Amino acid sequence: MTGEAASTGMLEARFKLSERGTDVRTEVLAGFTTFLTMAYIVLVNPAILGQAGLPVASVAAATCFAAAFASILMGMVANTPLALAPGMGLNAYFSFTVVQQMGVPWPVALGCVFISGVAFLILTLTGVRQLIVSVIPQHLFAAVAGGIGLFIGFIGLKDAGIVVANPATFVALGSVTQPGPALALFGLVVIGTLAVWNVRAAMLIGIVLTTLAGWVMGQVHAPTEPYSLAALTATAFKLDIPGVFGLSGKAGLGLLEILFVFLFVDLFDNIGTLVAVTKRAGLMDAAGKIPGLNRILMTDAVATMVGAMAGTSTVTSYVESAAGVQAGGRTGLTAVVCGLLFLATMFVAPYASLVPLAATAPALVVVGGLMLLPLTEVDWEDPMAAIPAFLTVAMIPLTFSIANGLAFGITAHALLKLLKGQATTKDWFLYTLAALFVARFAWMAAA
């Protein structure tokens, strides 16, 4: 047996490639595709956390390390094509609310992230997170998948400049003749054409060709700022856990408020992303169960703790993983490849900007459209299913939050079930969850 054959055999045995209808080549391409669609976080996360006073170069290195560790761990432990990185939204809350508005020093804020990771782990080990997944009905699983499809499609259109903000109508059509939107439309045509011809590497080829076209158009610019891996030492292990318990709460609700938001948003963003990606990959069984759920959730918890120690905000699952799934990724090898690419990016973090947003945006648009398929599973003629499903689908992209979509969907489901007289004592956790959502909405309104 040759060395190559032996390696392929090891990967087959470890990731069960043939059992899931895939192969090494497909998984590697899928890993590259996922990486390219989420590599923007290497640039965006340092920009956001830098406004909280963290050294930008350090955060760039920490972002790459945290994403690499988390994605590789997810692939090896859970054998799921789910990539992770510091989450958007939570990094903004960390920087603008916790540090700037509440006046919490960034080392203490990192301590809060670490403790929230410990809380995630405890909730997983005690079965609470799994219990939450178990009370979500099938039509909401389908709605979450479709809603996230609209969400990432909208993100792609926004990143491309095809959809822009408008004070009168909230959103409007951008100037599609400008270089950025025009480049993105070119990429959309390339990926779409390759996809209809059933080219498995359509996403990756489209991103590469669009990047090359961007270089010709002068839309690709090499970074000039100096960078060294030693920068990581400025944030690594700088979290201040004792300082967390010293918060007086005078700058808001203090420790409990911070931990609640970190815990809540990561919990439901993770569940929503997990449902969407595993459903799209065909890994969810007929009963709506996700194989290896406990390992997936534990990996997410450990990743958040490691990310905080490295010097970045909460690490969570990325909806962009759906791009790799669409490219054929079905096993943890996709996540491992993505993680290894993030690890390599630590050495050249600033050069991630060589792939412009206009090159990755078309992939998100295509994937978003293809993720609408699960909506056919919703019985749109039954108000009990249609109303919660619609609220979930609509609120995810319109509020830019997977957590908000789930909150509206689950609360509506619980309320309609109660009003129809179908509630039983077995639904106690569903109504506990709905009550927490209502309390959250009330707290947000009063804040």
Side-chain angles (χ1 to χ4, degrees):
M1 180 180 292
T2 64
E4 182 179 349
S7 298
T8 301
M10 290 175 60
L11 292 174
E12 168 63 39
R14 182 68 184 80
F15 296 104
K16 302 177 181 178
L17 302 177
S18 58
E19 182 180 318
R20 296 191 181 180
T22 185
D23 53 43
V24 173
R25 177 180 176 276
T26 299
E27 294 293 303
V28 170
L29 284 173
F32 267 90
T33 302
T34 296
F35 171 76
L36 287 173
T37 58
M38 60 186 287
Y40 67 87
I41 194 62
V42 178
L43 301 173
V44 177
N45 198 47
I48 292 175
L49 296 187
Q51 297 183 59
L54 281 80
V56 172
S58 304
V59 178
T63 300
C64 293
F65 175 79
F69 172 86
S71 299
I72 292 172
L73 186 66
M74 181 65 77
M76 297 300 295
V77 173
N79 196 21
T80 301
L82 200 63
L84 300 90
M88 292 295 294
L90 284 168
N91 53 8
Y93 175 75
F94 179 105
S95 181
F96 303 124
T97 301
V98 176
V99 176
Q100 296 186 44
Q101 292 183 20
M102 299 178 70
V104 177
W106 65 260
V108 175
L110 286 177
C112 289
V113 173
F114 181 86
I115 293 173
S116 72
V118 174
F120 301 157
L121 188 59
I122 293 173
L123 289 178
T124 300
L125 293 174
T126 55
V128 174
R129 295 179 84 177
Q130 298 88 321
L131 188 59
I132 292 173
V133 174
S134 70
V135 301
I136 301 176
Q138 284 298 301
H139 58 268
L140 287 188
F141 276 143
V144 167
I148 290 180
L150 287 176
F151 183 36
I152 64 176
F154 181 53
I155 290 174
L157 292 170
K158 179 186 72 70
D159 288 347
I162 297 172
V163 170
V164 297
N166 184 288
T169 60
F170 292 104
V171 293
L173 180 67
S175 178
V176 295
T177 58
Q178 293 296 311
L183 182 61
L185 289 173
F186 166 78
L188 192 57
V189 171
V190 171
I191 293 175
T193 302
L194 293 173
V196 298
W197 281 97
N198 297 317
V199 177
R200 295 293 295 273
M203 301 288 183
L204 181 59
I205 294 172
I207 291 171
V208 172
L209 290 179
T210 307
T211 299
L212 292 175
W215 178 73
V216 173
M217 296 170 61
Q219 296 298 300
V220 176
H221 307 286
T224 57
E225 293 192 13
Y227 170 80
S228 168
L229 272 183
L232 183 60
T233 59
T235 55
F237 301 105
K238 294 298 191 293
L239 68 170
D240 181 4
I241 295 178
V244 173
F245 299 99
L247 288 177
S248 65
K250 62 183 179 181
L253 297 180
L255 173 64
L256 291 179
E257 175 188 336
I258 296 169
L259 291 180
F260 177 78
V261 173
F262 280 142
L263 177 65
F264 185 92
V265 176
D266 181 63
L267 174 61
F268 287 98
D269 273 7
N270 183 266
I271 289 175
T273 301
L274 180 59
V275 167
V277 173
T278 55
K279 193 172 185 67
R280 182 62 188 165
L283 301 178
M284 185 180 291
D285 63 25
K289 304 295 183 182
I290 301 172
L293 176 62
N294 202 49
R295 293 191 297 273
I296 293 171
L297 296 177
M298 288 182 66
T299 298
D300 175 67
V302 172
T304 289
M305 291 186 283
V306 171
M309 289 188 287
T312 185
S313 53
T314 306
V315 174
T316 189
S317 304
Y318 260 59
V319 294
E320 285 85 352
S321 301
V325 169
Q326 186 59 40
R330 294 293 181 270
T331 76
L333 183 55
T334 293
V336 170
V337 171
C338 182
L340 290 173
L341 289 170
F342 270 114
L343 195 62
T345 304
M346 283 186 67
F347 298 90
V348 290
Y351 292 95
S353 61
L354 288 175
V355 179
L357 284 177
T360 58
L364 298 183
V365 174
V366 172
V367 170
L370 295 173
M371 285 183 68
L372 298 182
L373 178 62
L375 294 180
T376 59
E377 300 173 18
V378 178
D379 184 358
W380 294 104
E381 294 183 356
D382 178 10
M384 280 291 293
I387 294 173
F390 171 74
L391 288 173
T392 302
V393 171
M395 295 304 290
I396 289 176
L398 294 181
T399 66
F400 239 65
S401 169
I402 300 169
N404 283 342
L406 270 170
F408 269 83
I410 292 175
T411 303
H413 170 69
L415 182 60
L416 291 176
K417 193 171 184 179
L418 177 66
L419 294 175
K420 194 177 180 181
Q422 294 181 345
T424 67
T425 54
K426 295 181 180 179
D427 296 319
W428 68 270
F429 192 76
L430 171 65
Y431 288 97
T432 299
L433 198 58
L436 289 173
F437 280 130
V438 172
R440 172 179 176 262
F441 292 140
W443 167 72
M444 291 172 63

